[in-house]
Amino acid sequence: MKKKTIILSLPYAMSIKNLIDKKFIDEFKNFNLIIFSPVKKNKSLFFKLINKNNIKYYRYYKINILLNLINFLINNLTTIKLLKKKKILTLETFKKMHSNNCSNEVIKPFKFLNNKILNLFSNDMIIGILKALRFFVTIIFYPNYLFIFLKYKPKIFFTAHPFANIDFPLQLFSNFFNLKKVALIHSWDNLTSKFKMSYDFKKLLVWNNTLKKQAKYIYGYKDKDVKVVGIPNLEDFHNFKPQTKEIFFNKNNLDNKKKLIIIFGPSDQYVPHIEDLIYKIASMSHKNEFSKKTQLWFRSHPAGNFNFNKFKKFNCIKMEKPPNSFTAKSFNEIGNFKKDLFLFGNLIYYSDIIVSFYSTTILDAIYFDKPVINPLINLDKKNSIYCKQEAYVDMWSHMKIIKKLKGVTYVKNYDQFKKYVNIYLNDKNFNQKGRRQIFKSQLNYSLGSSRKNIAYEIIN
């Protein structure tokens, strides 16, 4: 019997890191696989797995400017139309941020949701015309994709991130050829903080029940068509065996007698004064202002600009950029993502406190039951609440849930920051009940078998 062909679309390096390992690939042994990603071929583990399993590999083609423009118009019009029917807190907050002149680069694309002309034209006829134009533009500019579909006759299409523009032509052709379409929601905020998805899917795979409820409410999916599969990258933690503390500390020039505070930095697009904030925390540690001696490990955001030279005067802080496999960008090289994950796991495992800003590193910390502090320290006093750091946790759907569960400590000034650092340094179990609530609500699904579940839902 001839094997069916499945296309796996992995738009970001994170898609590869979160999904690809031997156990996941082995689930497809009775199928022919075609994988698309942005990564150039190299000697990484990713390509070793591909070559060993005779998987066909293609890089995405660059998205045409005209197609990007049409997509952008359709995304805005369909999202405006959706918001007329559904109340989506995060997107409504984006609109109000723009109205109050306190947006940032991440939210910038959503400024047209307030546009009066687009609101006027957000109807089925205009959207239908644009979708027809988009179809013909895709056919004209992406004949290579069309040839792949005609040559291999795939039966199933899976995307690890249905909101990524780079794999949109694949979504279009999979829809045109009536393939079974399956999508994994890439992260905890995607259903509430992205433009409306371009296509419906036979199955939507989500991390937890919170996302399942959102998918049913926003997109009208039936209960049976949304599958809770857990958080795939937590599988690496579930099977994690750390180095000994002595080896880890010696290898990374850490002092075994000092407490370790890990800081996962946000982009300066979110927190424009992030450098000053980290500088103040480093100064507090350097001057031994905490109740116990501390050392800091700061990992910056990949999209941010950060002056590391500014911190050379402090011997208490280790600073680094995240590896390519941890970024959400289309890097040419992914590196040894399993090695990167091993370092990341040890980093959290041996930390005493995690400082995180609106990031999924909150969930990583919660998995290991580590205290989490999220500074909501504003640069200056602004009139609008939408311009303050509090807006990110009070008015963004996914963070509002985290705050409600009371497992993360939010501080609004440096005195509060020092206070709670000292509390956690003296009692690591402080606020543990709240952390367990977050674990139960957001993380406790398919632990250790998430990737296998994802593969099963793709195949069946």
Side-chain angles (χ1 to χ4, degrees):
M1 188 175 180
K2 188 177 180 180
K3 291 182 178 180
K4 290 182 181 178
T5 298
I6 298 175
I7 291 178
L8 302 181
S9 180
L10 309 174
Y12 295 132
M14 284 180 65
S15 307
I16 295 170
K17 173 182 76 79
N18 291 347
L19 279 179
I20 299 300
D21 69 359
K22 185 179 182 300
K23 289 182 180 178
F24 179 76
I25 294 296
D26 283 350
E27 293 296 314
F28 298 95
K29 61 185 177 183
N30 295 321
F31 296 84
N32 294 317
L33 279 188
I34 299 174
I35 288 181
F36 283 84
S37 98
V39 183
K40 282 185 178 178
K41 285 195 173 183
N42 55 39
K43 296 180 180 179
S44 70
L45 173 64
F46 176 46
F47 287 105
K48 287 180 181 177
L49 283 170
I50 284 176
N51 295 331
K52 185 177 180 181
N53 290 276
N54 297 314
I55 297 169
K56 292 180 175 63
Y57 178 77
Y58 293 94
R59 289 189 78 202
Y60 298 111
Y61 295 99
K62 188 176 180 180
I63 295 296
N64 174 273
I65 294 175
L66 178 58
L67 182 58
N68 255 338
L69 176 60
I70 298 170
N71 260 336
F72 187 70
L73 284 171
I74 293 173
N75 288 342
N76 273 276
L77 292 173
T78 55
T79 303
I80 289 169
K81 185 181 175 185
L82 176 66
L83 289 175
K84 290 177 180 178
K85 299 177 180 178
K86 306 284 185 178
K87 181 175 174 58
I88 305 173
L89 179 63
T90 307
L91 289 176
E92 294 293 347
T93 303
F94 289 176
K95 290 170 65 177
K96 289 175 182 176
M97 284 179 160
H98 282 296
S99 298
N100 286 274
N101 298 314
C102 50
S103 176
N104 57 50
E105 287 299 314
V106 176
I107 302 167
K108 189 176 180 179
F110 298 90
K111 67 180 180 180
F112 294 104
L113 295 179
N114 287 324
N115 186 278
K116 292 181 180 179
I117 296 175
L118 289 181
N119 271 269
L120 181 64
F121 286 100
S122 59
N123 58 66
D124 290 337
M125 185 181 76
I126 299 297
I127 293 170
I129 291 170
L130 285 170
K131 284 185 176 181
L133 178 61
R134 181 172 66 180
F135 176 80
F136 287 110
V137 168
T138 306
I139 293 288
I140 291 168
F141 284 99
Y142 298 94
N144 290 331
Y145 283 150
L146 180 58
F147 174 76
I148 290 170
F149 275 77
L150 291 172
K151 180 180 179 181
Y152 295 109
K153 297 179 176 59
K155 299 298 182 184
I156 301 171
F157 171 77
F158 166 81
T159 177
H161 192 16
F163 300 95
N165 277 344
I166 198 168
D167 86 333
F168 170 76
L170 293 176
Q171 292 187 42
L172 184 146
F173 284 121
S174 68
N175 196 62
F176 177 73
F177 286 104
N178 198 30
L179 272 60
K180 172 188 170 184
K181 301 193 303 299
V182 183
L184 172 69
I185 299 305
H186 178 75
S187 191
W188 60 347
D189 66 324
N190 284 180
L191 288 173
T192 56
S193 68
K194 304 292 183 187
F195 289 114
K196 186 178 183 294
M197 281 191 291
S198 295
Y199 292 104
D200 293 326
F201 292 85
K202 177 72 174 176
K203 287 184 186 177
L204 210 58
L205 312 182
V206 297
W207 288 4
N208 51 46
N209 281 332
T210 298
L211 285 167
K212 181 168 184 173
K213 289 176 183 177
Q214 290 173 352
K216 290 165 66 177
Y217 168 70
I218 296 171
Y219 287 96
Y221 276 92
K222 294 180 180 178
D223 189 83
K224 66 181 179 63
D225 297 326
V226 186
K227 305 293 183 180
V228 175
V229 294
I231 306 176
N233 49 292
L234 288 187
E235 198 153 320
D236 296 293
F237 293 157
H238 190 75
N239 303 312
F240 179 66
K241 294 181 180 179
Q243 291 177 303
T244 64
K245 186 174 182 179
E246 183 180 10
I247 291 174
F248 179 70
F249 272 54
N250 287 340
K251 188 175 181 180
N252 292 287
N253 298 315
L254 297 172
D255 188 338
N256 202 25
K257 296 179 181 178
K258 293 182 178 180
K259 297 293 184 177
L260 178 60
I261 299 176
I262 307 298
I263 306 173
F264 294 109
S267 165
D268 49 6
Q269 295 167 353
Y270 283 105
V271 186
H273 55 295
I274 182 62
E275 260 188 38
D276 294 336
L277 200 155
I278 302 303
Y279 189 90
K280 176 65 175 177
I281 294 173
S283 178
M284 293 164 76
S285 176
H286 181 72
K287 294 176 182 178
N288 294 319
E289 293 184 18
F290 301 126
S291 61
K292 296 182 180 180
K293 289 187 176 181
T294 58
Q295 56 198 325
L296 312 177
W297 188 323
F298 173 73
R299 179 175 277 195
S300 67
H301 191 278
N305 296 310
F306 206 90
N307 181 14
F308 289 101
N309 292 326
K310 186 177 179 179
F311 294 81
K312 285 184 176 179
K313 63 181 289 185
F314 300 122
N315 58 12
C316 63
I317 185 167
K318 181 182 177 73
M319 311 193 77
E320 65 168 10
K321 292 181 179 180
N324 288 351
S325 60
F326 273 69
T327 67
K329 293 183 176 181
S330 302
F331 281 88
N332 289 335
E333 305 289 339
I334 191 173
N336 188 336
F337 57 98
K338 289 297 182 183
K339 183 179 179 181
D340 296 338
L341 280 166
F342 184 65
L343 171 62
F344 184 64
N346 279 286
L347 197 60
I348 297 178
Y349 187 84
Y350 287 116
S351 66
D352 294 285
I353 298 172
I354 300 290
V355 178
S356 181
F357 301 74
Y358 340 114
S359 165
T360 52
T361 50
I362 289 173
L363 301 182
D364 297 320
I366 294 295
Y367 182 86
F368 285 110
D369 193 23
K370 298 294 178 177
V372 184
I373 297 176
N374 185 167
L376 301 177
I377 302 173
N378 294 296
L379 179 62
D380 49 34
K381 293 182 179 179
K382 298 181 178 179
N383 293 326
S384 172
I385 183 62
Y386 297 101
C387 299
K388 296 180 179 179
Q389 296 299 308
E390 292 95 312
Y392 298 131
V393 298
D394 292 336
M395 302 177 195
W396 290 27
S397 303
H398 65 296
M399 290 306 302
K400 187 176 182 179
I401 292 169
I402 296 299
K403 186 176 182 180
K404 183 180 179 181
L405 294 171
K406 299 180 180 180
V408 173
T409 298
Y410 297 97
V411 297
K412 295 184 178 181
N413 56 57
Y414 293 110
D415 288 338
Q416 286 183 0
F417 182 84
K418 185 189 296 187
K419 172 187 173 181
Y420 283 101
V421 165
N422 290 336
I423 287 173
Y424 282 126
L425 289 177
N426 291 297
D427 181 9
K428 66 179 181 180
N429 294 323
F430 178 78
N431 217 15
Q432 189 178 58
K433 183 178 179 181
R435 294 197 296 274
R436 286 175 175 168
Q437 288 299 314
I438 295 176
F439 185 95
K440 183 179 179 181
S441 169
Q442 305 297 306
L443 280 71
N444 193 28
Y445 299 89
S446 302
L447 292 174
S449 60
S450 179
R451 290 170 182 150
K452 185 174 181 178
N453 285 357
I454 292 168
Y456 175 85
E457 296 297 346
I458 293 170
I459 293 166
N460 294 286

